[in-house]
Amino acid sequence: MMLTKKTITEAMYNAIRLGATKMPPDIRAALQKALAEETDPMAKKHLEISLQNADMSEKGNGLVCADTGFPMFFVHAGKNTEVEGGFNTLQECAAEATARATAECFLRPTMVHPLTRKNPGDNVGPGMPKLELVFDRDDDGLEILAAPKGGGSEIFGTFYRMMFPADGEAGIKKFVIECIKDACYAGKVCPPAIIGVGIGGTADLCMSMAKKAALLRPIGKHHSDPEVARLEKELYEAARKIGIGPMGSRGINAVLAINLDAAVTHTAALPVAVNAQCLVGRRWIARIDGAGNIDYTGEIE
Amino acid sequence: MRNITLPLSEADAESLKLGEMVTVSGLLFTGRSRFHIRAIEDNIYPPIDYEKINCFFHVGPVMRQTEEGWEVVSCEPTSSIRFERYGADVVRKFRLRTLIGKTTMGPETAKALKEVRGVYLSKIGLSGNALRGQVKKVHDVYFLDELGKTECTWIYEVENFGPFFVAMDANGRNYFEELSAEANARMPEIEKMLNIPADYEYTEVNG
């Protein structure tokens, strides 16, 4: 059955509204674990208050964070999925959903022109909301993940370095651990952060891998390649020794997870990208089946 | 926990210890990048009595207009370090004794705060929803049409607003700079743990 524009817009609107007002269950569990680990009173207070803030938001009082940031949608379609007006319609649906969520104060009007700084007031403009569509499912439905991504994590948690084969694994590790220290200084990215790292590919693919590793993977899940997973674990243990904890305080939990992804690259190159997600890891998923029924979940697979 | 009355007196400012948690009560004004740039580059700023409304809250709140007026949906302090280019000039121009924000500011702002006997208070956790409840009244708004709801200046009356902690004191000390020095001192040991050679250098291709 053809999925209507109305159904898709409704699913996108609810996914981004829920993303802005609910904390995903795996993130909450990870923050509670971090709270139990920290001993410094300030480190504990940062986490206690952040969890209370999410509770208030879930009860209908406010937002998980007032910086609802960049509106992003990651869409997975199936080989038999049909969309009213064709797949080009998805961008229109995302714009409509974003504007509605902004008008209803679930999103802050944050997107502005980069040069004139003019704010259209609805978070919609060239390139925004950001929508990525991939065809990787077997069915006739759509999966939409909405991620309102805060400025702190994107602005202070984005790094790229083109290294060379001779720089090796030591170079990758040095770059990543220094990025984590810089990103977490004074709580810039709102730690404990989820650190996404892309290795290889082209510059844009490398950064895209880093972003998706930070945003789209459940806490605690490692990369399927054991060599990549080994690096994730080594870097995670090292990050816990820096001495920076929640919101930049003295503590252990600078990060909730370090997620790497890798792509083949030029034989002369070793590009590495880092992109951070903040402690509230906002994302919510809408799944539309072929009949147009919508389910929502904060659980990622 | 102490509750500080705004505008902050010189004596209160000097009594605040680095890392101390406090709440504040009184009047404050809001702003972000556009406030800083316009105040210094263009000499455009809200016509308020800065002696009376002397606390600058770095925030872009989510605001909703109702029949009774404006209400705060959520107000999360924003990253003050972004304003460092103009921070010291703004502190001196308006003789600001209290800044509230996220993260910290740099050495120039620390110097200016020391001169005016002022402090910088940083947020504790994500607290935008609790802070909303502590805003007792939205008194006024400036430059709403030009700058929009996020960048314009709101005047709030707050009560037991916080908690925040003293991240820069009136003597020029910075909580995060001191903490960062400790972290930097640990880095050689961490690099060793990661099997990064002590003399490691990235390949240099720019001569």
Side-chain angles (χ1 to χ4, degrees):
Chain A
M1 206 178 103
M2 186 170 282
L3 301 177
T4 65
K5 193 180 164 187
K6 185 163 174 271
T7 299
I8 297 166
T9 306
E10 183 71 13
M12 286 178 167
Y13 159 76
N14 282 315
I16 199 133
R17 176 179 64 80
L18 292 165
T21 52
K22 289 169 83 74
M23 179 180 274
D26 60 322
I27 304 280
R28 179 179 287 274
L31 290 177
Q32 278 160 346
K33 184 166 165 263
L35 175 58
E37 267 183 349
E38 296 292 351
T39 55
D40 182 87
M42 182 87 83
K44 290 181 98 68
K45 196 86 178 158
H46 280 302
L47 291 172
E48 279 166 16
I49 288 181
S50 301
L51 285 162
Q52 283 163 12
N53 198 60
D55 289 342
M56 290 175 82
S57 168
E58 285 183 22
K59 287 177 189 141
N61 298 309
L63 302 165
V64 174
C65 174
D67 181 11
T68 55
F70 299 86
M72 292 190 286
F73 295 90
F74 297 87
V75 182
H76 295 264
K79 60 187 176 192
N80 297 316
T81 306
E82 288 185 283
V83 172
E84 178 192 4
F87 281 94
N88 290 351
T89 308
L90 291 179
Q91 187 68 40
E92 281 170 43
C93 296
E96 207 177 308
T98 300
R100 181 180 163 197
T102 309
E104 294 175 5
C105 294
F106 292 111
L107 299 179
R108 188 181 67 181
T110 305
M111 294 297 107
V112 304
H113 187 281
L115 298 175
T116 65
R117 313 306 296 183
K118 191 174 157 40
N119 190 335
D122 61 0
N123 284 314
V124 176
M128 282 294 158
K130 185 171 179 296
L131 184 140
E132 184 178 297
L133 171 63
V134 291
F135 293 86
D136 61 352
R137 292 160 62 97
D138 292 326
D139 63 0
D140 53 358
L142 275 182
E143 182 182 290
I144 298 158
L145 183 145
K149 185 172 192 274
S153 67
E154 185 72 5
I155 295 161
F156 300 114
T158 302
F159 307 87
Y160 176 79
R161 186 174 183 106
M162 176 56 84
M163 284 190 269
F164 304 97
D167 291 322
E169 192 179 300
I172 297 170
K173 291 194 283 196
K174 186 178 173 70
F175 180 63
V176 173
I177 202 74
E178 283 177 350
C179 288
I180 292 171
K181 180 179 68 80
D182 291 346
C184 292
Y185 168 67
K188 289 207 297 286
V189 294
C190 293
I194 305 162
I195 303 293
V197 181
I199 306 170
T202 53
D204 56 334
L205 174 58
C206 192
M207 187 57 76
S208 173
M209 285 192 294
K211 167 148 284 129
K212 288 185 209 167
L215 266 57
L216 308 181
R217 204 189 289 179
I219 302 288
K221 185 176 174 184
H222 283 288
H223 197 277
S224 56
D225 180 337
E227 272 302 291
V228 178
R230 173 184 61 80
L231 261 180
E232 288 176 340
K233 289 171 193 164
E234 266 187 55
L235 285 163
Y236 175 78
E237 288 308 324
R240 289 164 62 86
K241 298 279 193 295
I242 299 174
I244 298 182
M247 298 305 292
S249 61
R250 286 183 176 82
I252 305 159
N253 290 277
V255 301
L256 291 180
I258 300 184
N259 300 333
L260 271 59
D261 203 1
V264 291
T265 192
H266 196 290
T267 187
L270 179 53
V272 181
V274 172
N275 191 240
Q277 172 64 302
C278 69
L279 79 165
V280 289
R282 286 168 292 182
R283 50 165 151 83
W284 216 261
I285 296 168
R287 291 199 181 99
I288 314 177
D289 69 16
N293 303 304
I294 315 171
D295 272 328
Y296 300 97
T297 178
E299 306 271 8
I300 208 163
E301 279 167 10
Chain B
M1 195 185 311
R2 280 167 80 190
N3 179 57
I4 300 294
T5 303
L6 299 173
L8 184 63
S9 70
E10 188 168 344
D12 277 347
E14 285 170 356
S15 74
L16 288 171
K17 292 187 191 69
L18 202 66
E20 183 180 348
M21 294 190 207
V22 293
T23 56
V24 302
S25 298
L27 290 167
L28 52 76
F29 68 96
T30 75
R32 301 166 60 96
S33 299
R34 299 295 297 281
F35 180 103
H36 285 84
I37 298 166
R38 283 155 51 102
I40 302 307
E41 298 291 345
D42 309 321
N43 201 33
I44 297 169
Y45 50 86
I48 57 179
D49 179 351
Y50 289 91
E51 267 187 53
K52 201 170 126 213
I53 308 176
N54 186 259
C55 170
F56 189 178
F57 179 26
H58 299 159
V59 69
V62 180
M63 301 293 293
R64 181 191 286 132
Q65 192 161 28
T66 68
E67 282 176 13
E68 287 86 50
W70 287 99
E71 68 173 29
V72 185
V73 176
S74 193
C75 58
E76 194 67 55
T78 195
S79 305
S80 311
I81 194 78
R82 296 202 311 276
F83 316 134
E84 181 57 15
R85 182 188 293 271
Y86 298 103
D89 288 343
V90 165
V91 166
R92 288 193 186 102
K93 186 176 180 115
F94 302 108
R95 310 296 296 172
L96 299 177
R97 198 164 273 150
T98 318
L99 304 178
I100 299 177
K102 176 195 158 193
T103 65
T104 182
M105 295 189 77
E108 289 306 314
T109 303
K111 213 159 81 185
L113 282 173
K114 193 176 170 184
E115 277 169 36
V116 306
R117 313 308 293 156
V119 298
Y120 172 88
L121 306 176
S122 190
K123 74 170 175 182
I124 300 177
L126 295 189
S127 55
N129 300 332
L131 295 180
R132 173 206 49 203
Q134 298 152 359
V135 177
K136 291 301 156 195
K137 197 175 169 195
V138 179
H139 278 260
D140 220 332
V141 58
Y142 296 93
F143 306 131
L144 177 61
D145 293 342
E146 279 171 79
L147 301 180
K149 290 193 278 185
T150 310
E151 293 275 344
C152 71
T153 289
W154 300 93
I155 310 293
Y156 293 165
E157 183 179 337
V158 299
E159 200 177 288
N160 296 316
F161 192 57
F164 304 103
F165 73 98
V166 181
M168 293 162 80
D169 69 13
N171 298 313
R173 277 181 70 194
N174 185 327
Y175 174 91
F176 285 114
E177 270 178 22
E178 294 180 9
L179 195 155
S180 186
E182 295 166 24
N184 285 333
R186 279 188 210 105
M187 288 308 278
E189 185 196 326
I190 289 166
E191 293 195 356
K192 198 172 158 191
M193 187 180 151
L194 288 168
N195 298 315
I196 301 165
D199 58 351
Y200 183 90
E201 280 180 29
Y202 300 115
T203 303
E204 184 52 65
V205 295
N206 295 320

